[in-house]
Amino acid sequence: MENHFPEKAPKILKEKPFWWKEEVVYQIYPKSFYDSNNDGIGDINGITQKLPYLQELGITMLWICPIFTSPMVDNGYDISDYKGIQPEFGSMGDFDELLSEAKKSGIKIILDLVVNHTSDKHVWFQSALNDSKSNYRNYYIFKEGNNENPPNNWRSIFGGSVWEKVPNEENMYYFHTFDKKQPDLNWENPVLRQEIYDMVNWWLEKGISGFRIDSITFIKKDQDYTDVIPDGADGLASVKHKGRNRPGIKDFLSELNRETFQKYECVSVGEAPGVTYEEYDQYIGNNGYFNMIFDFHYADIDVESGSEWFRRTNWQIKELKNQIFKSQEAIQKNGWGANFLENHDQPRSITKYIKDEKYQNEIGAKALGTLFFFLRGTPFIYQGQELGMKNFKRGTIADFNDVSSIDNYQRSMLEGYTSQEALEFVNQRSRDNSRTPFQWNSSETAGFSESTVPWLKLVGDHTTVNARVQLEKEDSVLCYYKKMIQLRNKSKYRETLIYGEFVPMNTTDHIIAYERIGRETIQVIINLSNQASLIEGLSGEILLNNYSEITYEKNGLTLQPYQALVLRKEENNG
Ligand code: GLC
Ligand code: CA
């Protein structure tokens, strides 16, 4: 239906336009996207072959998780050569081809920049480890122990001490925020920093459009390296207290920005956990270190801490709403955000956010999609989210691959939970949930790989949840995502949906609703409960609806369980 409301004089948009505000990003976990040569592992040529799918979906930029040379202990987040391509993913030639083919399809590419640490197999670290006189020792963090004990009691993100003993040397340790095979780089060393900047610029010269910057708030550690009061049954204290977003980090981050990103037409997206809203101005303001950052405040609403899955919360929709609003308002005040529902470190969103299992289906997937997609910021869609892929249910810890899942399983039991309970936590939260092979069709291997057993087991629901079936089905989650992308980027509401102001709407607790105000007012309303609910005063043209019907009332609209609407507000209605 054509819009029949009187045109108001267009409001002047307050927002400064930038190309990266207009992108719709699609995140690819290369190991699990598409396997082009049937070895059970997704690869770069697989991405190139699936460009038509991505183009049809309508996304405009890809963020590809690490494809660099790596022993794959943390699936590529342990890099042993920053300028090489991991052979199981392909070659540099394959990457160059992907870059140029994507460009032809109007798709930009950003890569993952992992510079808090390298792999222990990196030549720098090998030299540092094996030769105490090596210049590379100062590329990493080596310290003497404390009477046969590690230098302090900090716990790494993946469990156990942050310190690993150096073999063949007495009383010497090296530092790792994550796994022991991911030694931290020493950002205090200007020679190392320069080496990193040169590498970043080398990639930018190649023509990529920018970077997602991994774990970047960990690069500065308190230089006293003193003990912290233990915060767990293992007697250790999280590295976050003294090794994340610490005083002095500003100097490193502004230098990184100045020496690299600022010299190019590129986008920088920071993974910056631990940054408070008060600090957002420094991070994403006018002279911020990054163009945008991910906000993890509500991504971890179901747990007290994103790295300790056994500390679960009993969260309510009202809290989720408050946190989303708070986040949007803080970002709007300071700059621009990167919005996401899922990524490779999170479980699938329908399992996490939809409380009533009956609605962990297409309706629920579309409701969540609507909620996140129209927030102010650049939307990031994680592979499979557009199909409504769900968590799996594994019967034994042996079925998990992810390092942090195994650590969480062991730590849960150390905290006093039974092995059954520990398995339950891991099933709910494991990063493997989102790393299962992409479901292309209903064949035995879901079309991910033609003949081989994939590297990680499938979820098991691919006979119904798959791209081929959903492309044909008008009311599928996939077609709904296509419509959302179309509405944001190609419709006459584009300017409002990209640049319009974010304004929260005041509704009942379990309804999350907001307006985007620009040339017109667009309202986004989601019922996140299994109760139908009347909202008074709603009227206007419906632009999107995850149900096939609308329940009009005399004084408004009734939203069915998990119903989501996008509505162009009737202007003479106030
Ligand atoms: C980031 C990545 C995660 C990785 C970690 C260490 O959080 O997203 O996958 O394990 O950093 O690099
Ligand atoms: Ca392959």
Side-chain angles (χ1 to χ4, degrees), residues 277-526:
Y277 290 137
E278 288 69 42
E279 295 165 312
Y280 266 40
D281 179 44
Q282 292 160 34
Y283 276 80
I284 53 171
N286 275 337
N287 297 310
Y289 317 132
F290 304 107
N291 295 128
M292 50 182 126
I293 59 176
F294 295 109
D295 181 1
F296 292 97
H297 286 92
Y298 54 90
D300 292 333
I301 194 159
D302 61 325
V303 281
E304 279 170 31
S305 131
S307 52
E308 293 177 322
W309 306 334
F310 45 87
R311 302 192 204 280
R312 300 209 48 92
T313 63
N314 180 25
W315 65 279
Q316 304 299 316
I317 302 297
K318 186 180 159 186
E319 271 169 75
L320 177 64
K321 165 156 82 175
N322 289 340
Q323 292 200 25
I324 293 176
F325 288 176
K326 206 171 148 193
S327 161
Q328 282 282 297
E329 284 169 342
I331 295 168
Q332 180 157 267
K333 203 171 124 205
N334 293 294
W336 195 254
N339 297 321
F340 68 101
L341 264 186
E342 297 181 3
N343 63 37
H344 65 294
D345 294 329
Q346 291 283 330
R348 290 293 184 179
S349 58
I350 6 188
T351 323
K352 179 167 68 180
Y353 293 120
I354 304 285
K355 294 203 169 209
D356 185 338
E357 275 183 41
K358 263 206 334 266
Y359 291 94
Q360 292 178 348
N361 58 11
E362 301 208 337
I363 292 286
K366 293 177 201 169
L368 291 174
T370 316
L371 170 62
F372 115 96
F373 193 80
F374 297 104
L375 293 171
R376 182 181 163 284
T378 301
F380 283 64
I381 301 166
Y382 178 72
Q383 66 181 49
Q385 178 186 324
E386 81 278 23
L387 304 178
M389 281 179 69
K390 293 195 212 62
N391 277 8
F392 50 55
K393 196 100 192 140
R394 305 281 195 235
T396 152
I397 192 68
D399 280 341
F400 290 83
N401 167 279
D402 161 34
V403 273
S404 68
S405 299
I406 293 144
D407 165 55
N408 257 282
Y409 179 74
Q410 285 158 353
R411 281 194 57 214
S412 306
M413 291 190 294
L414 193 63
E415 296 281 337
Y417 294 100
T418 66
S419 57
Q420 252 339 87
E421 288 166 327
L423 193 62
E424 180 61 21
F425 295 138
V426 175
N427 266 300
Q428 273 163 337
R429 264 272 155 184
S430 174
R431 308 193 299 176
D432 282 343
N433 277 304
S434 56
R435 299 175 180 187
T436 61
F438 189 91
Q439 298 173 184
W440 292 102
N441 61 40
S442 55
S443 75
E444 206 185 327
T445 53
F448 163 73
S449 181
E450 290 313 323
S451 58
T452 333
V453 184
W455 73 277
L456 192 65
K457 270 210 256 175
L458 292 156
V459 175
D461 58 1
H462 56 281
T463 49
T464 50
V465 181
N466 72 64
R468 184 176 296 162
V469 166
Q470 293 199 16
L471 276 172
E472 307 287 304
K473 211 167 140 252
E474 246 250 83
D475 65 347
S476 65
V477 182
L478 180 55
C479 289
Y480 191 84
Y481 266 83
K482 277 168 69 175
K483 285 183 206 154
M484 292 202 296
I485 297 170
Q486 166 79 25
L487 185 62
R488 180 188 189 267
N489 273 33
K490 295 259 156 62
S491 80
K492 62 182 174 193
Y493 304 115
R494 171 188 159 88
E495 271 195 309
T496 301
L497 288 174
I498 297 173
Y499 291 111
E501 190 185 348
F502 169 89
V503 180
M505 286 167 71
N506 189 7
T507 53
T508 347
D509 285 353
H510 55 268
I511 306 269
I512 304 187
Y514 56 88
E515 293 182 334
R516 298 297 307 279
I517 306 178
R519 294 191 184 278
E520 53 275 308
T521 295
I522 309 277
Q523 296 179 318
V524 181
I525 307 132
I526 299 99

Side-chain angles (χ1 to χ4, degrees), residues 34-44 88-89 448-449:
Y34 181 60
D35 173 19
S36 72
N37 62 350
N38 300 323
D39 62 356
I41 298 170
D43 44 58
I44 294 172
E88 67 197 42
F89 290 148
F448 163 73
S449 181

